[in-house]
Amino acid sequence: MVRHCPALFISAPASNHGKTTVTAALARHHRNLGRKVVVFKTGPDFLDPMILQRASGGVVHQLDLWLAGEAACRQLLYAAAGEADLILIEGVMGLFDGAPCSADVAERFGVPVLAVIDATGLAQTIGAIAAGLAGYRPTVTLAGVLANAVASDRHEEMLMQGMPAAIRYLGGVRRNALFALPRQHLGLLPADAVSDLDARLDALAACIAPLAVAALPAKVAFTRADCALPASLLQGVRIGVARDAAFSFLYPANLALLEAMGATLHFFSPLADATLPEVDSMYLPGGFPELHLAALQNNQAMHAALRAHVAADKPLFAECGGLLYLLESLTDKAGQPGAMTALLPGSAQMQSKLQGLGYQSAAMPGGVLRAHTFHYSHISMRLTPAASGERLFNTSAGEAIYQVGRLTATYLHCYFPSNPVAAARLFLS
């Protein structure tokens, strides 16, 4: 079966050219016109999808050929084509960076690429960059180029002078501090932390509306994939899921899978709640505990509730920020420590440089889950790991996986649909 829907893949020569800004602008523009926009993010990112979800008004799924696999990605696109007036896909890093890369996704599903190029310090040479992107892999279709951070009318004239006749120039977004989405150490600020985000998105939409890029792109044919429905392995299981400003790194596909396997999800806040919901298992995802040390430290009632949950031999799975919350203490970059739950014998210190990055396979009790790591903290742990992740691209040691009774914790962000059986085992008593 085939469904057709206008679609565009937004990429760039490298990171920090404005992919998220442009994708969000297009999503908000078409949403303001009353269109149903479905946005995807290539790669394992959590922060960009938060911005894109606010811009589009809908859930933003990861479209990752390694984490999810081609069949699952194909089915996500096919489902979106059945409900959307427009599909937008934001790439990761540069168009050809990584393996698999953004170009692999665009080529695999036949989606034309919009190249967003930051024009700061550029004039006619933008044409050479565009020509390189267009010709590097002829099987990838370049829909055109959008110049970002254009300084003036004269600047745009020079940019247009350099564009090859065979490549469409789809407009330029003017340099404006309002268009720069705020950042912090992990990347963009979470959507909920940007108080004027909607005003910024509406300004971006208004800026992009007159440009040629704002027209609906050509329709793309999306085919159905045969994906088996997950077994009801978690029927009747109640899972508590931490979700607040400190713990927000949740793949929508993870939550959807848990529910598809029969689980009931109960969300709670380690920042604000004094008690846990009545649950059988617990899921502590990643996020920003280092930015909320005082609130997490002072909520001693939540510490006690989590200790009681673990003492009752109930399953608890923690990822990255969730792992940090289970330690004895966490110290931020300014040297300020905060007492955590002390469910694991160790401490962590935020660092100025990246400490872990990349895809890994995680050997969990029920099987191997595909995962990704990205963190700026370093742990000193008085506990031998039960297993370690296996890196996709080299043989150096992967992230530790700790187990104490039914508690499992790791820096790795696991993608549950990569192995539903292994994911279910993390939450089964």
Side-chain angles (χ1 to χ4, degrees):
M1 298 177 66
V2 179
R3 290 172 176 169
H4 296 84
C5 183
L8 192 64
F9 194 109
I10 295 88
S11 191
S15 297
N16 300 318
H17 277 249
K19 297 189 300 293
T20 304
T21 299
V22 171
T23 307
L26 287 170
R28 180 56 68 94
H29 165 69
H30 287 284
R31 179 187 177 189
N32 286 347
L33 292 176
R35 294 179 176 132
K36 169 74 172 180
V37 184
V38 176
V39 185
F40 293 94
K41 170 64 182 178
T42 300
D45 189 271
F46 291 101
L47 293 168
D48 292 0
M50 295 180 189
I51 302 292
L52 300 176
Q53 180 167 319
R54 180 72 72 85
S56 66
V59 175
V60 176
H61 281 275
Q62 277 67 29
L63 208 64
D64 191 296
L65 289 174
W66 189 77
L67 281 179
E70 179 179 344
C73 291
R74 188 175 298 280
Q75 189 59 28
L76 284 169
L77 287 166
Y78 178 79
E83 62 171 343
D85 300 306
L86 171 66
I87 293 173
L88 298 174
I89 306 169
E90 185 197 342
V92 60
M93 300 185 295
L95 180 56
F96 301 102
D97 294 333
C101 63
S102 292
D104 293 329
V105 179
E107 180 182 12
R108 194 75 52 91
F109 303 114
V111 182
V113 173
L114 170 68
V116 177
I117 301 177
D118 188 326
T120 303
L122 274 178
Q124 289 85 350
T125 302
I126 193 173
I129 298 172
L133 292 173
Y136 188 78
R137 191 189 296 184
T139 49
V140 175
T141 301
L142 193 69
V145 169
L146 181 75
N148 192 23
V150 178
S152 64
D153 289 345
R154 176 56 185 149
H155 186 199
E156 187 160 32
E157 287 176 6
M158 291 187 287
L159 296 171
M160 294 173 69
Q161 288 169 2
M163 293 299 296
I167 297 177
R168 293 184 67 200
Y169 179 80
L170 295 174
V173 176
R174 290 303 171 95
R175 189 176 302 156
N176 188 325
L178 185 64
F179 299 162
L181 298 173
R183 305 182 68 86
Q184 43 78 51
H185 63 291
L186 290 185
L188 294 178
L189 276 178
D192 290 343
V194 185
S195 60
D196 63 345
L197 180 58
D198 283 305
R200 289 172 182 263
L201 292 172
D202 284 332
L204 279 165
C207 175
I208 216 162
L211 307 182
V213 73
L216 275 176
K219 289 186 176 181
V220 173
F222 295 103
T223 57
R224 182 177 179 177
D226 292 324
C227 297
L229 294 174
S232 299
L233 301 175
L234 294 172
Q235 193 63 46
V237 177
R238 300 165 299 175
I239 301 176
V241 182
R243 186 169 66 179
D244 58 20
F247 303 98
S248 58
F249 290 2
L250 287 158
Y251 289 129
N254 280 9
L255 302 182
L257 176 69
L258 295 177
E259 291 183 319
M261 291 192 292
T264 302
L265 305 183
H266 300 268
F267 296 97
F268 71 100
S269 170
L271 287 172
D273 294 338
T275 60
L276 292 173
E278 292 292 329
V279 294
D280 307 298
S281 304
M282 194 67 58
Y283 181 17
L284 295 178
F288 300 102
E290 68 275 15
L291 302 182
H292 303 273
L293 291 183
L296 291 173
Q297 173 181 264
N298 295 336
N299 193 352
Q300 291 295 313
M302 178 56 65
H303 292 198
L306 286 168
R307 292 189 196 111
H309 177 91
V310 172
D313 203 31
K314 293 182 177 181
L316 187 157
F317 177 59
E319 299 175 321
C320 202
L323 163 64
L324 300 182
Y325 184 48
L326 298 182
L327 298 173
E328 294 164 335
S329 68
L330 170 61
T331 302
D332 65 18
K333 288 174 67 176
Q336 179 65 43
M340 298 292 102
T341 62
L343 281 162
L344 290 175
S347 60
Q349 168 76 55
M350 298 302 299
Q351 307 292 313
S352 59
K353 295 182 179 179
L354 191 63
Q355 300 295 299
L357 174 67
Y359 291 117
Q360 296 184 32
S361 295
M364 294 297 178
V368 176
L369 283 163
R370 293 195 169 189
H372 183 266
T373 186
F374 183 89
H375 62 91
Y376 276 78
S377 59
H378 174 75
I379 286 179
S380 298
M381 180 74 82
R382 303 185 306 279
L383 182 67
T384 301
S388 295
E390 181 178 335
R391 298 185 186 275
L392 179 60
F393 296 115
N394 63 58
T395 57
S396 61
E399 299 287 7
I401 300 170
Y402 300 102
Q403 282 184 266
V404 178
R406 294 309 323 282
L407 184 160
T408 305
T410 179
Y411 266 124
L412 295 168
H413 295 279
C414 294
Y415 191 79
F416 294 167
S418 65
N419 188 337
V421 173
R425 183 69 186 87
L426 292 171
F427 302 100
L428 286 171
S429 298

